[in-house]
Amino acid sequence: MTLPTFFIPHGGGPCFFMDPADPDHPHSDPMWHPMQDYLAGLIGSLAERPRAILLVSGHWEARDFTVHVGERPELLFDYHGFPPHTYQLRWDASGAPDVARRAAALLEGAGFATSEETARGWDHGVFIPMKVAVPSADIPLAQISLRHDLDPVAHIAAGRALAPLRDEGVLIVGSGMSFHNLRVRGAQAMAPSATWDDALTAAVTDPDADSRARRVAAWDHLPHAHFAHPREEHLLPLMIALGAGGDDPAVRDHRSSVLGWTVSGYRFG
């Protein structure tokens, strides 16, 4: 069976785990509940449980596409100013070095340079959404970096190269935010973020896969593009998920409002 691919919103910092009395279970401001519920239902929405996850986060960039080949990565608490208990969270899934090396081989076969590393911990773009989606931490996970040039065409091509993993029991997940401008919140974000979201969704869900790829690669020509993403690292995981989705239909399977931002998630296949 061919698994779908996803672009998911990973929230803001440890937003789903703000209750110090029960840090192992999601407890958040009601504003985050729709996103939290979406992530909690992610694995259950699949026809079969994946044997592993390959995840690209908006919080890891490297010169080349880099795969984490560690057996048991630590967590990287790369957020600031949150309650002390949020720096003691745990998500104890095992790594998936076999999947990481298979991903690297596919990328190299498509002409991309790749690297390996073992020291970097899983950033919050990994462990925060996955702690909601896979609370039992019983699906191995391999993380792959963005390439630091943030070239959308290259990332879509990389996603296409990774597509065979979908037939090998691997769920490909892009983890970012469809809107990510930390300088604007509340009323000033509402109208432009909704307009941006509608335009992005129209491009992502274009039924013609070639047209879809062209339109999403040209994201910076959409309305309010640089208002939505002053820097686009949180959008680039979408390119991997879209590329790996190939010709399969694309749908927006999540939409919510947080901090005045309209935020969406997408499924391919």
Side-chain angles (χ1 to χ4, degrees):
M1 177 173 289
T2 301
L3 288 167
T5 72
F6 290 94
F7 173 68
I8 62 168
H10 62 57
C15 62
F16 308 117
F17 298 97
M18 297 298 286
D19 183 356
D22 192 9
D24 288 328
H25 299 91
H27 290 283
S28 59
D29 186 299
M31 170 183 68
W32 295 102
H33 287 179
M35 189 182 297
Q36 177 180 307
D37 291 345
Y38 165 66
L39 294 171
L42 204 69
I43 301 302
S45 74
L46 304 174
E48 65 178 36
R49 192 172 179 85
R51 71 174 180 88
I53 296 169
L54 179 69
L55 187 145
V56 56
S57 162
H59 290 278
W60 185 19
E61 301 172 34
R63 183 189 64 184
D64 301 320
F65 289 112
T66 301
V67 293
H68 195 295
V69 295
E71 297 278 354
R72 186 73 65 170
E74 300 291 330
L75 302 187
L76 174 61
F77 296 101
D78 57 338
Y79 43 72
H80 308 282
F82 288 92
H85 78 274
T86 64
Y87 298 90
Q88 299 172 12
L89 296 174
R90 298 189 58 180
W91 190 67
D92 295 328
S94 64
D98 59 327
V99 172
R101 292 192 169 108
R102 170 71 170 140
L106 289 168
L107 289 170
E108 289 167 5
F112 291 102
T114 70
S115 298
E116 290 186 0
E117 74 94 61
T118 59
R120 186 181 189 276
W122 282 333
D123 59 68
H124 76 274
V126 181
F127 74 85
I128 291 297
M130 289 299 100
K131 190 170 169 64
V132 179
V134 192
S136 54
D138 59 351
I139 302 177
L141 184 142
Q143 186 177 6
I144 184 170
S145 76
L146 297 171
R147 204 172 72 179
H148 71 45
D149 64 2
L150 302 181
D151 178 353
V153 173
H155 285 77
I156 291 171
R160 288 179 177 139
L162 295 169
L165 291 169
R166 298 174 58 196
D167 294 316
E168 300 171 14
V170 178
L171 181 67
I172 298 174
V173 177
S175 173
M177 291 287 278
S178 61
F179 184 98
H180 191 257
N181 183 344
L182 299 178
R183 295 192 292 269
V184 295
R185 300 186 182 190
Q188 69 179 127
M190 288 179 181
S193 72
T195 299
W196 152 258
D197 189 82
D198 288 342
L200 179 65
T201 297
V204 170
T205 59
D206 188 324
D208 181 277
D210 290 336
S211 175
R212 175 196 309 165
R214 287 193 300 270
R215 292 172 68 183
V216 175
W219 69 273
D220 55 342
H221 295 287
L222 298 177
H224 304 295
H226 289 288
F227 180 86
H229 291 278
R231 189 173 185 275
E232 62 268 33
E233 79 287 342
H234 273 66
L235 187 64
L236 264 292
L238 170 62
M239 312 301 171
I240 298 283
L242 182 152
D247 295 337
D248 285 352
V251 297
R252 177 171 62 190
D253 62 348
H254 171 74
R255 192 183 199 216
S256 60
S257 180
V258 296
L259 305 171
W261 308 349
T262 298
V263 177
S264 288
Y266 301 102
R267 174 176 174 145
F268 303 87

